[in-house]
Amino acid sequence: MSLWQRPLKRLQAMPPAGYAYAEYRTYRFRLNSLKGFLSLFLVGTVLSLALAACSGGTGSNSSTEPSNANASPVAATKDNVELTLVSFAVTKAAHEAIIPKFVEQWKKDHNQTVVFKQSYGGSGSQTRAVIDGLEADVVHLALSGDTSKIEKAGLIQPGWEKEVPNNGIVSKTVAALVTRSGNPKGIKTWEDLAKSGVKLITADPKTSGIARWNFLALWNSVIKTGGNEAKATEFVTNVYNNVPILTKDAREATDTFVKQGQGDALINYENEIILAQQKGQKIDYVVPDVNISIDNPIAVVDKNVDKHGTREVAEGFVKYLYTPEAQQEFVKFGFRPVDETLAQTKEVTDKFHKVKTLGTVADFGGWEAIDKKFFADGGLFDKIQAQKKR
């Protein structure tokens, strides 16, 4: 039995699309109460459905089911090739619009049919799944730190971010504050989240990628407006004192805010809110003028593509995601383009709120430094939680 099979053998088959790898431990129990699960699923709002990423397929050339855990992907042939894409949940709608276009173009240029296997879930869970044996050919994750973990596991060669444009970043968004209808607490800026009587819903940055972005956005809002680290620490401490519960991931945070009615505000990806509005959901939100660029990397999983014989098509797909045609699809689904020429078009400037001061991960030393300082055991976030008001 190969090493990649051992940790996955007990699963017998990969979970349905939209489930994070870690969630599969409860999957068989949920099957025994399917009626209740479906009821909960259908009651959800469009916003939480987007975060769950459990809808739809893309036709005969793709599947939302990941590869069977007990079998390697079908080897590429001259006429057909199977490509496994593993991504974080909120990219699903965009990929399902882009993939058919790529399949058509690849068939035209190479006379080869590409069949996509797709898996969507929380970025951290997807990262662990790939490291534990989910044989992704391409990974599109929420933060470069997750891709670096796969690199450190020996699956991606160092320097992956230099092999494609924009240091490997293929999609991006910013943070937004979702409020109750009419915004009764008058929440307009990051500073408002620290006020007495305001309850913020967010996920735990120890377990959630989006929650790390949320924390960094709060910290950035102080540093970018002239505050020092002492002021930033005081501010984020006050904000997290206003968090009644830290959920395990972004989906649960949205469910807590939308379905359970808890909290006065929710931090979410701007692209998720735009997508929900396009589907008819009325959402009150504000994009703060001081913000953080939430950058999502793409990478070929070298060890797997060499094993599968899929390097050419995997690299072709990654390259295609940077084309104006693909970037326009990302824009349609609420992502800000990485193509600066496209970013200056009227379509884009009319669609997105202009951010006056935009911070980046690089401003804070990169993800390795950020994780060590803020999120490692004994880091700043643990210290904040330890002294949190009761």
Side-chain angles (χ1 to χ4, degrees):
M1 184 183 299
S2 66
L3 289 175
W4 72 267
Q5 286 175 313
R6 292 174 189 168
L8 297 176
K9 182 175 177 57
R10 67 182 183 275
L11 300 183
Q12 299 178 351
M14 288 302 297
Y19 281 80
Y21 177 74
E23 292 176 321
Y24 187 58
R25 292 173 292 183
T26 59
Y27 176 60
R28 292 194 179 279
F29 173 79
R30 292 180 182 177
L31 288 178
N32 293 329
S33 57
L34 181 59
K35 181 178 179 181
F37 171 77
L38 288 175
S39 297
L40 178 61
F41 176 78
L42 292 172
V43 166
T45 66
V46 174
L47 180 59
S48 68
L49 285 173
L51 271 169
C54 291
S55 63
T58 57
S60 60
N61 282 334
S62 65
S63 168
T64 55
E65 298 289 340
S67 302
N68 186 289
N70 291 319
S72 298
V74 177
T77 67
K78 180 179 179 181
D79 298 324
N80 299 282
V81 60
E82 180 180 286
L83 203 66
T84 299
L85 169 66
V86 173
S87 189
F88 65 111
V90 302
T91 64
K92 185 175 187 291
H95 277 306
E96 293 211 337
I98 293 169
I99 284 173
K101 295 178 181 292
F102 170 75
V103 169
E104 181 181 2
Q105 187 64 48
W106 190 264
K107 179 70 172 178
K108 178 181 177 182
D109 293 343
H110 299 269
N111 196 29
Q112 189 179 48
T113 299
V114 184
V115 176
F116 274 80
K117 297 282 189 177
Q118 300 170 60
S119 175
Y120 298 94
S123 187
S125 296
Q126 296 292 74
T127 299
R128 290 190 295 272
V130 172
I131 292 172
D132 287 345
L134 176 54
E135 294 194 7
D137 296 295
V138 176
V139 288
H140 183 188
L141 300 171
L143 52 146
S144 296
D146 283 345
T147 312
S148 295
K149 290 176 184 177
I150 300 175
E151 175 192 330
K152 289 178 180 179
L155 299 175
I156 296 176
Q157 292 298 316
W160 57 270
E161 68 277 14
K162 302 300 182 183
E163 295 177 0
V164 291
N166 204 40
N167 286 321
I169 304 303
V170 75
S171 61
K172 65 181 181 179
T173 187
V174 296
L177 302 177
V178 183
T179 67
R180 295 296 172 192
S181 180
N183 194 9
K185 292 294 181 75
I187 298 167
K188 297 180 180 179
T189 67
W190 298 112
E191 289 80 1
D192 293 331
L193 298 178
K195 291 180 179 178
S196 177
V198 171
K199 297 300 180 184
L200 171 68
I201 302 299
T202 184
D204 188 343
K206 302 282 282 189
T207 59
S208 167
I210 187 174
R212 294 190 180 201
W213 282 116
N214 294 351
F215 183 99
L216 197 59
L218 292 164
W219 182 270
N220 176 77
S221 72
V222 176
I223 300 300
K224 289 297 184 183
T225 53
N228 57 24
E229 291 203 354
K231 287 288 186 182
T233 300
E234 179 184 11
F235 173 67
V236 295
T237 299
N238 290 337
V239 171
Y240 280 94
N241 282 336
N242 285 345
V243 177
I245 181 173
L246 286 168
T247 64
K248 66 179 180 180
D249 56 32
R251 176 171 61 182
E252 188 176 312
T254 299
D255 286 347
T256 299
F257 183 78
V258 175
K259 296 179 181 178
Q260 299 175 23
Q262 294 190 42
D264 304 300
L266 168 77
I267 308 178
N268 204 348
Y269 291 135
E270 178 193 45
N271 66 283
E272 279 297 278
I273 299 167
I274 292 173
L275 180 60
Q277 289 182 324
Q278 289 173 349
K279 293 185 176 182
Q281 184 73 20
K282 186 180 183 302
I283 300 172
D284 286 11
Y285 76 102
V286 60
V287 176
D289 288 336
V290 180
N291 220 302
I292 192 78
S293 183
I294 299 174
D295 299 334
N296 318 131
I298 192 85
V300 170
V301 185
D302 296 289
K303 186 174 181 179
N304 291 340
V305 297
D306 288 341
K307 176 181 178 179
H308 305 155
T310 54
R311 177 174 290 279
E312 182 182 13
V313 67
E315 291 179 347
F317 177 63
V318 169
K319 182 179 179 180
Y320 182 80
L321 293 179
Y322 286 94
T323 65
E325 184 177 27
Q327 284 293 305
Q328 285 170 353
E329 292 297 332
F330 278 120
V331 169
K332 288 179 184 178
F333 290 95
F335 290 95
R336 296 185 178 220
V338 298
D339 184 326
E340 288 303 319
T341 300
L342 181 59
Q344 301 304 316
T345 63
K346 190 174 187 302
E347 173 192 4
V348 172
T349 56
D350 287 350
K351 190 180 188 75
F352 299 106
H353 175 84
K354 184 177 176 59
V355 174
K356 295 181 180 178
T357 305
L358 190 66
T360 68
V361 167
D363 295 337
F364 303 101
W367 276 111
E368 186 172 353
I370 290 168
D371 285 343
K372 182 178 180 180
K373 180 174 183 175
F374 297 128
F375 309 122
D377 291 343
L380 181 58
F381 184 75
D382 281 352
K383 293 176 182 177
I384 289 172
Q385 289 302 101
Q387 64 182 5
K388 186 174 179 179
K389 297 175 183 177
R390 301 298 179 184

